[in-house]
Amino acid sequence: MSEMKPHKNRDRFAAKGESFLPAVEVRGLKKRLGVVDVLQHVNMKIEPGEARVILGRSGEGKSVLLKHLCGLFRADAGEVYIQGVEITRLPERELYKACAKVGMLFQGAALFDSLTVEENVGFTLFEHSTKKRREIREIVAHNLEMVRLKDVMHKMPSELSGGMRKRVGLARVITQEPDIILYDEPTTGLDPVTGDAINDLIVQLAEELNVTSVIVTHDMASAFKIADKISMLLTGKIIFTGTVEETKDTDNAYVHQFVNGLAHGPLTGDAMPAEEAAV
């Protein structure tokens, strides 16, 4: 069994003799969209400082789960705790306050096309702080440097490559100074080199900013590089959680098929040939 990477927040609390709450906890979460029960009974607990990867086939509800963690979706049943605060039934103002320390990088980065990079990255500060423009510009420049971007402050999103847009989106997230960052398919649509650079950034930011990371991905190379623990979502439930080594060595047939990208197995409703089962 592999040794998990250290959880810096947990270590800091332990050094002070303090107890700590999970960064994220989900209990019996259910969500129905139209006629589909997308999330049927999700249970999950993520420790401070942990990098948790969530796997699952397209349409299994991974993005829907993420949106519950930042308050964009409200649960039909069950509970979601963010740093010990149960958010599913909070009034709007209290929900905003509870989720203020949760940042999310959306699949397409979700940049405002009519704003410059500087205005995108500094959007929250421009709109909701009393900081002067010069101070905000310094923060924006620093955060762009953190995601390895220079000389793009005055560019428009349309002038950027896909990888650059992702990094600008990530710079905007860290401008919020979050304790938890949610990543929805961060390497989708990127070439392998650019995708791996994004993976490196996720690991780097987790270490430098001391944040908890929750990453939805189909990319197993990314998952194995980033994760402390990996969970798999299937038919609206978490069916497996384990370390990277436990995930690679699991005898769970669903996880085995997904992780190894096999055409045959329980996920596709047919028997797995002997040569594939031995992978």
Side-chain angles (χ1 to χ4, degrees), residues 130-147:
T130 58
K131 297 181 185 294
K132 295 181 179 179
R133 189 174 187 89
R134 177 182 296 178
E135 186 178 357
I136 294 175
R137 182 174 290 129
E138 290 174 355
I139 293 170
V140 168
H142 175 265
N143 289 346
L144 285 171
E145 195 167 316
M146 284 195 74
V147 299

Side-chain angles (χ1 to χ4, degrees), residues 70-113:
C70 61
L72 288 178
F73 278 2
R74 298 277 194 154
D76 295 334
E79 301 167 337
V80 176
Y81 293 84
I82 299 298
Q83 297 178 322
V85 177
E86 206 285 299
I87 67 170
T88 55
R89 294 163 187 83
L90 288 178
E92 199 70 31
R93 182 174 295 182
E94 292 180 40
L95 177 66
Y96 177 82
K97 182 178 180 181
C99 293
K101 288 296 185 178
V102 181
M104 183 163 177
L105 179 64
F106 294 89
Q107 284 190 35
L111 302 180
F112 299 110
D113 291 336

Side-chain angles (χ1 to χ4, degrees), residues 102-171:
V102 181
M104 183 163 177
L105 179 64
F106 294 89
Q107 284 190 35
L111 302 180
F112 299 110
D113 291 336
S114 61
L115 302 182
T116 65
V117 167
E118 177 186 351
E119 292 165 335
N120 266 287
V121 175
F123 183 80
T124 300
L125 297 180
F126 285 124
E127 294 294 318
H128 302 290
S129 80
T130 58
K131 297 181 185 294
K132 295 181 179 179
R133 189 174 187 89
R134 177 182 296 178
E135 186 178 357
I136 294 175
R137 182 174 290 129
E138 290 174 355
I139 293 170
V140 168
H142 175 265
N143 289 346
L144 285 171
E145 195 167 316
M146 284 195 74
V147 299
R148 306 172 195 170
L149 282 178
K150 293 183 179 180
D151 304 321
V152 298
M153 293 263 284
H154 303 296
K155 290 184 179 294
M156 304 299 291
S158 60
E159 301 177 80
L160 307 176
S161 67
M164 292 172 74
R165 289 170 66 93
K166 293 269 190 179
R167 284 185 281 164
V168 170
L170 194 46

Side-chain angles (χ1 to χ4, degrees), residues 2-210:
S2 66
E3 189 173 325
M4 287 181 63
K5 291 175 281 186
H7 299 313
K8 295 184 179 180
N9 286 339
R10 179 176 180 173
D11 292 345
R12 175 165 52 82
F13 295 147
K16 294 180 179 180
E18 299 176 9
S19 61
F20 65 93
L21 295 165
V24 175
E25 185 171 6
V26 179
R27 301 178 184 172
L29 181 64
K30 296 182 180 181
K31 184 66 175 180
R32 186 178 179 89
L33 296 177
V35 298
V36 180
D37 292 317
V38 180
L39 303 177
Q40 296 190 41
H41 195 77
V42 174
N43 292 289
M44 182 173 65
K45 186 183 291 187
I46 301 174
E47 295 183 2
E50 182 181 329
R52 174 69 62 89
V53 166
I54 301 174
L55 303 177
R57 296 180 302 173
S58 298
E60 289 288 353
K62 302 182 300 299
S63 296
V64 172
L65 175 57
L66 281 193
K67 289 175 181 177
H68 281 83
L69 305 186
C70 61
L72 288 178
F73 278 2
R74 298 277 194 154
D76 295 334
E79 301 167 337
V80 176
Y81 293 84
I82 299 298
Q83 297 178 322
V85 177
E86 206 285 299
I87 67 170
T88 55
R89 294 163 187 83
L90 288 178
E92 199 70 31
R93 182 174 295 182
E94 292 180 40
L95 177 66
Y96 177 82
K97 182 178 180 181
C99 293
K101 288 296 185 178
V102 181
M104 183 163 177
L105 179 64
F106 294 89
Q107 284 190 35
L111 302 180
F112 299 110
D113 291 336
S114 61
L115 302 182
T116 65
V117 167
E118 177 186 351
E119 292 165 335
N120 266 287
V121 175
F123 183 80
T124 300
L125 297 180
F126 285 124
E127 294 294 318
H128 302 290
S129 80
T130 58
K131 297 181 185 294
K132 295 181 179 179
R133 189 174 187 89
R134 177 182 296 178
E135 186 178 357
I136 294 175
R137 182 174 290 129
E138 290 174 355
I139 293 170
V140 168
H142 175 265
N143 289 346
L144 285 171
E145 195 167 316
M146 284 195 74
V147 299
R148 306 172 195 170
L149 282 178
K150 293 183 179 180
D151 304 321
V152 298
M153 293 263 284
H154 303 296
K155 290 184 179 294
M156 304 299 291
S158 60
E159 301 177 80
L160 307 176
S161 67
M164 292 172 74
R165 289 170 66 93
K166 293 269 190 179
R167 284 185 281 164
V168 170
L170 194 46
R172 183 173 64 186
V173 169
I174 63 178
T175 298
Q176 299 173 224
E177 298 183 345
D179 292 332
I180 302 165
I181 300 180
L182 313 177
Y183 299 87
D184 193 2
E185 297 286 1
T187 60
T188 293
L190 304 180
D191 65 81
V193 173
T194 304
D196 196 51
I198 296 295
N199 293 334
D200 285 344
L201 276 176
I202 294 171
V203 174
Q204 173 195 332
L205 293 176
E207 294 173 350
E208 293 185 5
L209 302 179
N210 211 23

